[in-house]
Amino acid sequence: MRENTAQSSALPVAPTRGRLRPLGLDEVRITGGFWARCRHINATATLGHCRDWMERVGWTGNFRAAAEGRIHRDRRGREFADSEHYKLLEAMAWEAGGGTPLDADIAALTDVIAPAQEPDGYLNTAFGRPGQQPRYSDLEWGHELYCHGFLIQAGVAQARSRGEGELAKIARRAADHVCATFGPGGIEAVCGHPEIESALVELARLTGEQRYLDQAALFVERRGHGTLADIEFGRAYYQDDLPVRDATVLRGHAVRALYLAAGAVDVAVETGDDALLAAVVRQWEAAVARRTYLTGGMGSHHRDESFGDDFVLPPDRAYSETCAGVASVMLSWRLLLATGEPRFADLAERTLFNVVATSPSEDGRSFFYANTLHRRRRGTVPAANVDSPRAESSLRAPWFAVSCCPTNVARTLAVLPAYLATADDHGIQLHQYADAEITTSLAGGHGVALRVGTDYPSGGSVTVRIGRSPDHPWTLSLRVPAWTEGATAWLVDPDGERRAVAPGTASVTRVFRPGDEIRLDLPMAPRWIGADPRIDATRGTAAVQRGPLVYCAESVDLPDGHDVDAVRVDPSAEPEDGPDDTVVVPGEVAPPGEPGDAAWPYRPLGHVAAPAARHTGIVLVPYHSWANRGPSTMRVWLPTTEADSTGTGR
Amino acid sequence: MRENTAQSSALPVAPTRGRLRPLGLDEVRITGGFWARCRHINATATLGHCRDWMERVGWTGNFRAAAEGRIHRDRRGREFADSEHYKLLEAMAWEAGGGTPLDADIAALTDVIAPAQEPDGYLNTAFGRPGQQPRYSDLEWGHELYCHGFLIQAGVAQARSRGEGELAKIARRAADHVCATFGPGGIEAVCGHPEIESALVELARLTGEQRYLDQAALFVERRGHGTLADIEFGRAYYQDDLPVRDATVLRGHAVRALYLAAGAVDVAVETGDDALLAAVVRQWEAAVARRTYLTGGMGSHHRDESFGDDFVLPPDRAYSETCAGVASVMLSWRLLLATGEPRFADLAERTLFNVVATSPSEDGRSFFYANTLHRRRRGTVPAANVDSPRAESSLRAPWFAVSCCPTNVARTLAVLPAYLATADDHGIQLHQYADAEITTSLAGGHGVALRVGTDYPSGGSVTVRIGRSPDHPWTLSLRVPAWTEGATAWLVDPDGERRAVAPGTASVTRVFRPGDEIRLDLPMAPRWIGADPRIDATRGTAAVQRGPLVYCAESVDLPDGHDVDAVRVDPSAEPEDGPDDTVVVPGEVAPPGEPGDAAWPYRPLGHVAAPAARHTGIVLVPYHSWANRGPSTMRVWLPTTEADSTGTGR
């Protein structure tokens, strides 16, 4: 790996080494299109929404109660409620420009939190004060290091985005406490929920202090040796079953597994531990090949929010927690920076469009916690003023008793511009496509400015216009998404030369002139997708993908009030573009029967008549947009007429 | 409904009214065959195994600690650990003959329990003593009434099987306490886990005391009005979302739902509340039509052990808790007695052979808690001396931290003879088939003796030989199982006349003579079964049933160390009988690929080559017998070669 010489301080993730150098939020701006809309809603609605809800449900008051000595009787919310404030502060820090109202919001919230920090740096409103459980008495479930981790991340975000202020100081005191308490000679254990690892590495990167990195490395090495209790879900739940470097696949609680993997990459990169990095890559590969939904979603179990066995990916009740999507993007981004391999950007794109973008509603004030791929029953509208159960609604809910997802979406959208592009000694790499302005310097301090124009993912044409460029050759690289496999993408260089490019990376190396344009044309025709037959529940079905977007049938688009279980599609004919980013597929809409139509749902083969049906065009919508039009049923994987007509597919 | 005039006191369930009159354990004896073997193992191994484990893990010691005033620091096990003793005592009471060693065991265990009962009749080692939570302070999760319910059931069993002794007196004091505490003017609430309802009705039946029945009816009526907290799983988890008489389908935690339904039937029958009975029948119908596995198993969610939405029945991680199977048999039996309809005996048979009989190992010393229909990974051997997690093992475990299932299986096998036959004014009805001797009296006190000979479910021939009979005509009825649909069953009367009989009931009415034989010939050829297409995960698969037994492929029977996911079957050819109750089906065994063979398991349609395969005969074994030969993989629903060859089934 090469050493990074960062040119920006505004880096959400700032490895000192790696194949690619990240660009800061002062180097990349998203100026329009899909992600600009998402980010606008995030900044103008979601941030304030989260702040208001936490005040309303009393979680913010916990800090005041702690400072005033009445927390033992007044505490509200779950043991990790503090952390939502830190994630929100992180989002605000990245989002705020100098002197905007958000700066005042950050200061005000920091003023609430600061008095709750204890003299030795410990900060948690759920433990340690008179009348509460002792500190670190429940490492399995207490989330104290998890909360400290997000506090540190918020402090790092503040320091990097606007210079070290009060929040960064609080964070640093907390990190010092963590090192003093869990370092050599201290408590020899880990937290039931990984997160502290990445946070400490980022703090080491920010401050240059080795001890934070050492502590993070220690936490990574300690895990997998059974320091946590063997709970009913097994120690795999919190990855304490196997050392990180020995595991072959992501397993257990999906968010825990992915945060840990991200932290392990951070440690591996900073310490030059190639074996550790290779172990995480191996786990990522196995999880992507066998434990990931078409949407990029990870984690299929509701019970323990965990990865299932290989190929246990039923669309029914797919869990696919929003936070696992966030964590997967964090991991993929770190692996991309470390290795430069576009497959990591491929998964990040899939996950951003189909999990992260799916969670918030169009108004940014309600969220999916779980992202099922098949909703069979029109649910009820979640309570407007009460926490919702995290995983049971058919519609997005404004807040949850366990509300990790809204603030996690907020901080992801806040840093999204940083995921678009990187640099290295040879030039600039574009990984994600959006209308954007990119300004940075190449090796030797030569300034470069690019403008990206596209209506991706509606359209597949991406134009990069050179604004400023040194007068020596350099390389512009563009990711050709893996989803183009089997179709053809084209690259047009500044001379108008057009060549077919394969999935991976397409590059142009030359002396660029201001005004030069490079264009990538991606094949955006909607396509039928099939699944590995080992995924039982998708046998005899097909899904539709158009560009990076997964599509779904939603009952509001079906005639005669039918539910989605009435849909049968005919994948022998191609799907076609419909208006407004919809796709129309050939098929039938006919009820397979009404509830209660058979006394027993199993029959000797050959005894069930196929239902009457009529051919029609069935409208599909992007998965991320579903459930914005009231209670509905939805499915991504659509049974085929072919499967219906076989003897066993009935 | 008619009034029952019970002729036996040894009745596990003793309704005073109903279409059919149950026979007591002194009237029906199982003399050989499948169930005799299961019952022998239960009596000689399982009962002692449960007793030993509860002593070893300290649950029995809780009663001693309570009596000695040290329970607040010494208690072991979950809050419902007391109840396992009561279920075991119930099993022992029904199993023990007069003067056997089991009688001494019952007395000894009763002597441990008795001193823990408080002066007012309350008996629970988890609540109410100094240093413990107050009585009834956690009705949602405390299980106090649930434990009292099983205590009462044990007392009823003792009284009915051997005359009222100490255990019955303890039970009655507990019931008096419950009525005093939760009756009119008392706590207006219900228990988070139904069970007390049936128990109080049985005590009313035993004692003739109306107040027990009134209290049971009160509990049934109170439920569904939100007296319990709205937990994350929702109030449907403990059926407190809707009044019993308003609900249209079984929902929430499966065991809770089924115990409640059984108790509601008991109340309905005793109070003549036909509307309540009809409500439960309606719920049973909906659950059987849309929320039941092929095995009869109920409850598909791991997270909350609950029924899923209609048709959410993926074989992967099917939960199908053993106790839900037990509870389903309890409910079906009550509905059969109330209505006389053979469909209830059909489900009981399916559930007994494929859930209840599946749970215990061949040696009766380990158990399945959950009964999945698809096991993908060879697991590890559960710990021999430590509680196992309830739902994660691939093999049966000797004991669980939540160990409701072993004792529930024990008490079900102990009363199994009572499920074989009933009587009414017109004669005798046979519902389940086993080698058995039946002796009872018809209306007017006319003695009847029958001997049933069969090797069911290996063979399909059931011969009923008349031993004693009055010299006037009466009716012998035999259930023709619903699983014979589409094949032909034959009834041969004492004159040798043979006629085809349809699913339902086949009867012979005549003056029977000693030595007369009636024979039912059931079609036992193995058959392919398909599922409603709304059950996603069984599309493109077929299962095999032979008589009442569901079959499965198990990896130990496959060549070359293949796992079951390598199996494809060809349902265009018929399955055939193999040796030792196996079935052989035509198909292919070829790996669909090795783990890691594709980087991403989804592909544009038409790009995946079918794996090489060779046709062979694949051996299937009865589902109840799987996992008795070491760690293995298993599946009930087998993908078809036909589905593989279609464009979308790959």
Side-chain angles (χ1 to χ4, degrees):
Chain A
M1 291 185 193
R2 54 177 289 288
E3 302 289 314
N4 278 328
T5 314
Q7 297 169 5
S8 164
S9 67
L11 291 166
V13 180
T16 60
R17 302 164 65 253
R19 172 70 189 79
L20 303 177
R21 172 172 69 80
L23 301 185
L25 293 172
D26 50 351
E27 295 176 301
V28 186
R29 284 205 314 126
I30 294 179
T31 55
F34 183 93
W35 289 120
R37 287 191 296 277
C38 290
R39 297 189 73 245
H40 176 74
I41 292 162
N42 188 49
T44 58
T46 302
L47 296 181
H49 173 88
C50 292
R51 179 74 183 83
D52 291 348
W53 262 92
M54 290 197 283
E55 194 67 70
R56 184 191 315 172
V57 292
W59 300 359
T60 310
N62 290 339
F63 294 104
R64 299 186 190 102
E68 293 164 13
R70 52 183 174 77
I71 187 65
H72 59 287
R73 65 163 198 272
D74 287 347
R75 193 170 185 286
R76 296 285 179 274
R78 292 288 296 270
E79 52 278 43
F80 34 78
D82 294 359
S83 70
E84 306 315 334
H85 299 81
Y86 309 146
K87 285 150 74 182
L88 180 62
L89 281 166
E90 183 189 340
M92 288 171 153
W94 292 123
E95 191 60 55
T100 66
L102 268 180
D103 284 305
D105 291 343
I106 294 171
L109 185 52
T110 303
D111 285 347
V112 173
I113 292 167
Q117 188 167 38
E118 300 190 54
D120 68 348
Y122 180 91
L123 206 177
N124 192 297
T125 67
F127 290 86
R129 287 186 173 75
Q132 293 187 310
Q133 280 188 262
R135 288 181 185 182
Y136 305 118
S137 57
D138 183 12
L139 283 167
E140 285 76 13
W141 300 107
H143 288 74
E144 288 159 279
L145 290 174
Y146 168 92
C147 289
H148 281 129
F150 278 120
L151 174 59
I152 293 165
Q153 295 276 25
V156 169
Q158 183 188 58
R160 288 197 183 138
S161 62
R162 52 185 39 71
E164 184 155 332
E166 179 62 17
L167 182 59
K169 289 181 187 131
I170 294 169
R172 201 152 163 177
R173 284 196 292 270
D176 291 341
H177 153 78
V178 169
C179 292
T181 309
F182 287 87
I187 302 172
E188 288 188 27
V190 295
C191 183
H193 201 316
E195 152 57 23
I196 187 71
E197 298 82 0
S198 268
L200 287 170
V201 175
E202 289 298 342
L203 189 62
R205 288 165 173 168
L206 174 72
T207 62
E209 292 202 27
Q210 178 73 24
R211 64 203 169 96
Y212 299 132
L213 175 59
D214 291 345
Q215 185 63 47
L218 195 56
F219 280 135
V220 169
E221 293 303 327
R222 264 185 200 154
R223 193 169 298 264
H225 295 284
T227 65
L228 299 173
D230 189 11
I231 52 173
E232 183 170 359
F233 301 151
R235 287 202 177 93
Y237 174 79
Y238 27 49
Q239 296 77 44
D240 199 29
D241 56 332
L242 275 177
V244 177
R245 59 182 74 243
D246 295 343
T248 57
V249 65
L250 298 176
R251 70 222 177 277
H253 187 273
V255 180
R256 284 169 167 82
L258 289 157
Y259 281 172
L260 176 64
V265 172
D266 287 332
V267 167
V269 164
E270 296 305 320
T271 60
D273 188 339
D274 291 344
L276 181 60
L277 180 62
V280 177
V281 169
R282 188 171 67 230
Q283 294 163 31
W284 182 94
E285 286 171 347
V288 170
R290 295 177 260 143
R291 299 186 173 187
T292 302
Y293 288 102
L294 181 63
T295 53
M298 292 186 177
S300 63
H301 292 188
H302 271 245
R303 176 169 174 253
D304 50 359
E305 306 186 304
S306 77
F307 286 97
D309 283 350
D310 290 349
F311 302 110
V312 179
L313 295 165
D316 273 328
R317 284 169 62 78
Y319 200 67
S320 181
E321 183 181 338
T322 298
C323 287
V326 167
S328 173
V329 172
M330 289 167 57
L331 174 59
S332 290
W333 176 243
R334 283 159 171 78
L335 290 171
L336 175 65
L337 292 178
T339 67
E341 296 172 18
R343 57 182 175 157
F344 300 114
D346 282 329
L347 186 71
E349 174 182 65
R350 184 178 290 273
T351 309
L352 284 168
F353 277 116
N354 299 296
V355 180
V356 175
T358 302
S359 176
S361 62
E362 288 176 342
D363 70 358
R365 296 178 185 279
S366 58
F367 307 86
F368 278 129
Y369 187 109
N371 296 277
T372 187
L373 274 68
H374 188 175
R375 173 77 201 182
R376 290 175 180 263
R377 196 165 37 85
R378 296 171 203 227
T380 49
V381 179
N385 292 300
V386 184
D387 299 346
S388 289
R390 51 184 142 173
E392 295 303 325
S393 172
S394 69
L395 293 171
R396 297 168 181 90
W399 203 249
F400 304 95
V402 175
S403 218
C404 43
C405 296
T407 53
N408 236 351
V409 168
R411 71 189 187 104
T412 303
L413 292 174
V415 301
L416 199 78
Y419 291 150
L420 261 56
T422 56
D424 67 6
D425 289 343
H426 310 290
I428 307 284
Q429 302 80 39
L430 299 187
H431 304 290
Q432 308 296 342
Y433 299 118
D435 277 347
E437 291 175 359
I438 299 171
T439 312
T440 186
S441 299
L442 298 182
H446 300 285
V448 172
L450 310 177
R451 182 168 184 88
V452 183
T454 182
D455 62 348
Y456 192 82
S458 287
S461 185
V462 179
T463 301
V464 183
R465 186 183 174 87
I466 307 294
R468 192 149 67 97
S469 177
D471 55 6
H472 59 76
W474 58 277
T475 302
L476 177 68
S477 301
L478 298 98
R479 179 175 62 95
V480 182
W483 59 255
T484 63
E485 181 204 333
T488 307
W490 300 92
L491 187 72
V492 185
D493 74 14
D495 303 325
E497 296 283 343
R498 182 166 175 267
R499 60 184 161 99
V501 288
T505 301
S507 300
V508 179
T509 303
R510 63 191 292 156
V511 178
F512 291 100
R513 308 288 175 201
D516 276 357
E517 286 191 355
I518 301 91
R519 197 172 82 238
L520 180 66
D521 285 328
L522 297 171
M524 299 300 284
R527 300 165 76 190
W528 289 114
I529 304 291
D532 189 296
R534 286 170 287 188
I535 305 171
D536 267 7
T538 50
R539 189 179 297 109
T541 69
V544 168
Q545 200 177 321
R546 183 180 179 282
L549 300 184
V550 173
Y551 276 69
C552 65
E554 191 177 1
S555 56
V556 286
D557 296 308
L558 298 179
D560 307 330
H562 278 303
D563 275 318
V564 289
D565 285 352
V567 169
R568 294 291 178 278
V569 295
D570 178 4
S572 68
E574 291 303 311
E576 294 177 6
D577 282 327
D580 299 329
D581 289 334
T582 60
V583 166
V584 180
V585 296
E588 307 166 351
V589 182
E594 293 303 318
D597 51 339
W600 179 242
Y602 311 101
R603 281 284 180 281
L605 284 178
H607 284 227
V608 180
R614 56 191 175 84
H615 276 76
T616 185
I618 294 159
V619 175
L620 309 184
V621 297
Y623 174 71
H624 68 72
S625 73
W626 91 275
N628 274 305
R629 296 173 288 172
S632 62
T633 60
M634 179 280 298
R635 65 187 299 170
V636 167
W637 291 99
L638 303 167
T640 64
T641 49
E642 192 176 38
D644 255 18
S645 69
T646 67
T648 57
R650 299 150 313 127
Chain B
M1 290 186 194
R2 55 178 287 288
E3 302 290 315
N4 278 329
T5 315
Q7 296 168 4
S8 164
S9 67
L11 290 166
V13 180
T16 60
R17 302 164 62 253
R19 172 68 189 80
L20 303 177
R21 172 172 70 79
L23 302 184
L25 292 172
D26 51 350
E27 295 175 301
V28 185
R29 283 205 315 127
I30 293 178
T31 55
F34 183 93
W35 289 121
R37 287 191 297 277
C38 291
R39 297 189 72 247
H40 177 73
I41 293 161
N42 188 49
T44 58
T46 302
L47 297 181
H49 173 88
C50 293
R51 180 74 182 82
D52 291 348
W53 263 92
M54 290 198 283
E55 194 67 69
R56 185 192 314 174
V57 293
W59 300 358
T60 310
N62 290 339
F63 294 104
R64 299 186 192 101
E68 293 163 13
R70 52 184 175 77
I71 187 65
H72 59 288
R73 63 163 199 272
D74 288 347
R75 194 170 185 284
R76 297 286 177 276
R78 293 286 298 269
E79 51 278 44
F80 35 77
D82 294 358
S83 69
E84 307 314 335
H85 299 82
Y86 310 145
K87 284 150 76 182
L88 180 62
L89 280 166
E90 183 188 341
M92 288 170 153
W94 293 122
E95 191 60 55
T100 66
L102 269 180
D103 283 305
D105 292 343
I106 294 171
L109 186 52
T110 304
D111 285 346
V112 173
I113 292 167
Q117 187 167 37
E118 299 190 55
D120 67 349
Y122 179 90
L123 207 177
N124 192 297
T125 66
F127 290 87
R129 288 185 172 76
Q132 295 187 310
Q133 280 189 262
R135 288 182 186 182
Y136 305 118
S137 58
D138 183 13
L139 283 167
E140 285 77 13
W141 299 106
H143 288 75
E144 288 159 278
L145 290 174
Y146 169 91
C147 289
H148 281 130
F150 278 120
L151 173 60
I152 293 166
Q153 295 276 26
V156 169
Q158 183 188 59
R160 286 193 183 141
S161 62
R162 52 187 36 73
E164 186 155 330
E166 180 61 17
L167 183 59
K169 288 180 187 132
I170 295 170
R172 199 150 167 180
R173 284 195 293 270
D176 291 341
H177 152 78
V178 169
C179 292
T181 309
F182 288 86
I187 302 172
E188 288 189 28
V190 296
C191 183
H193 202 314
E195 151 57 22
I196 187 72
E197 298 81 0
S198 266
L200 287 170
V201 175
E202 289 298 341
L203 188 62
R205 288 164 173 170
L206 175 73
T207 61
E209 292 202 28
Q210 178 73 22
R211 64 204 170 96
Y212 299 132
L213 175 60
D214 291 345
Q215 185 64 46
L218 196 56
F219 280 135
V220 169
E221 292 303 328
R222 266 185 199 155
R223 193 169 297 265
H225 295 283
T227 65
L228 299 173
D230 189 10
I231 53 173
E232 183 169 359
F233 301 151
R235 286 202 177 93
Y237 174 79
Y238 26 50
Q239 295 76 46
D240 199 30
D241 56 332
L242 276 177
V244 177
R245 59 182 73 242
D246 295 343
T248 57
V249 64
L250 298 176
R251 71 221 176 278
H253 187 272
V255 180
R256 284 170 167 82
L258 289 157
Y259 281 171
L260 175 65
V265 173
D266 287 331
V267 167
V269 164
E270 296 305 319
T271 60
D273 188 339
D274 292 342
L276 181 61
L277 180 63
V280 177
V281 169
R282 187 172 67 229
Q283 294 163 31
W284 181 95
E285 287 170 346
V288 170
R290 295 178 261 142
R291 300 186 174 188
T292 303
Y293 288 102
L294 181 63
T295 53
M298 292 185 177
S300 63
H301 292 189
H302 271 244
R303 176 167 174 255
D304 50 359
E305 307 185 304
S306 77
F307 286 97
D309 283 350
D310 290 348
F311 303 110
V312 179
L313 295 165
D316 273 327
R317 285 167 63 78
Y319 200 67
S320 180
E321 183 180 337
T322 298
C323 287
V326 166
S328 172
V329 171
M330 289 168 56
L331 174 60
S332 290
W333 176 244
R334 284 160 170 78
L335 291 171
L336 175 65
L337 292 178
T339 68
E341 295 172 18
R343 57 181 175 156
F344 300 113
D346 282 328
L347 185 72
E349 175 182 65
R350 183 177 292 272
T351 309
L352 285 167
F353 278 116
N354 299 297
V355 180
V356 176
T358 302
S359 176
S361 63
E362 287 177 342
D363 71 359
R365 295 177 186 280
S366 59
F367 308 86
F368 279 129
Y369 187 109
N371 297 277
T372 185
L373 273 68
H374 188 176
R375 174 78 201 178
R376 290 177 181 261
R377 196 164 38 85
R378 297 171 202 227
T380 48
V381 179
N385 293 300
V386 184
D387 299 346
S388 290
R390 50 186 141 172
E392 293 305 323
S393 172
S394 69
L395 293 171
R396 298 168 180 88
W399 202 249
F400 304 94
V402 175
S403 219
C404 42
C405 296
T407 53
N408 236 351
V409 168
R411 70 190 187 103
T412 303
L413 292 175
V415 301
L416 199 77
Y419 291 150
L420 262 55
T422 55
D424 68 5
D425 289 344
H426 310 289
I428 308 285
Q429 302 82 38
L430 300 188
H431 305 289
Q432 309 297 342
Y433 299 118
D435 278 345
E437 291 175 359
I438 300 170
T439 313
T440 186
S441 299
L442 298 182
H446 301 285
V448 172
L450 310 176
R451 180 165 188 90
V452 183
T454 183
D455 61 348
Y456 193 82
S458 288
S461 183
V462 179
T463 301
V464 184
R465 186 184 173 87
I466 306 294
R468 194 148 69 95
S469 176
D471 55 5
H472 60 75
W474 58 276
T475 301
L476 177 67
S477 300
L478 297 99
R479 178 176 63 94
V480 182
W483 58 255
T484 64
E485 180 204 334
T488 307
W490 299 93
L491 187 72
V492 184
D493 75 13
D495 304 325
E497 297 283 345
R498 183 166 173 268
R499 62 183 161 98
V501 288
T505 302
S507 300
V508 178
T509 303
R510 62 191 293 156
V511 179
F512 290 100
R513 307 290 175 200
D516 275 358
E517 286 190 354
I518 301 91
R519 197 173 81 238
L520 180 66
D521 286 327
L522 298 171
M524 298 302 283
R527 300 165 77 189
W528 291 114
I529 305 290
D532 189 296
R534 285 169 288 187
I535 304 171
D536 268 7
T538 50
R539 187 180 298 109
T541 69
V544 168
Q545 199 177 322
R546 183 180 179 282
L549 299 184
V550 172
Y551 275 68
C552 65
E554 191 177 2
S555 55
V556 287
D557 296 309
L558 298 179
D560 308 329
H562 278 305
D563 275 317
V564 290
D565 285 353
V567 169
R568 295 290 178 278
V569 296
D570 178 5
S572 68
E574 291 302 312
E576 294 179 5
D577 283 327
D580 300 329
D581 289 335
T582 60
V583 166
V584 180
V585 297
E588 307 166 351
V589 181
E594 293 304 317
D597 52 338
W600 179 242
Y602 310 101
R603 281 283 178 285
L605 283 178
H607 285 228
V608 180
R614 55 192 176 84
H615 277 76
T616 185
I618 294 159
V619 174
L620 309 183
V621 297
Y623 174 71
H624 68 73
S625 72
W626 92 276
N628 274 305
R629 295 173 289 173
S632 63
T633 60
M634 179 280 298
R635 63 188 299 170
V636 167
W637 291 99
L638 303 166
T640 64
T641 50
E642 191 176 37
D644 255 17
S645 69
T646 67
T648 57
R650 299 150 314 125

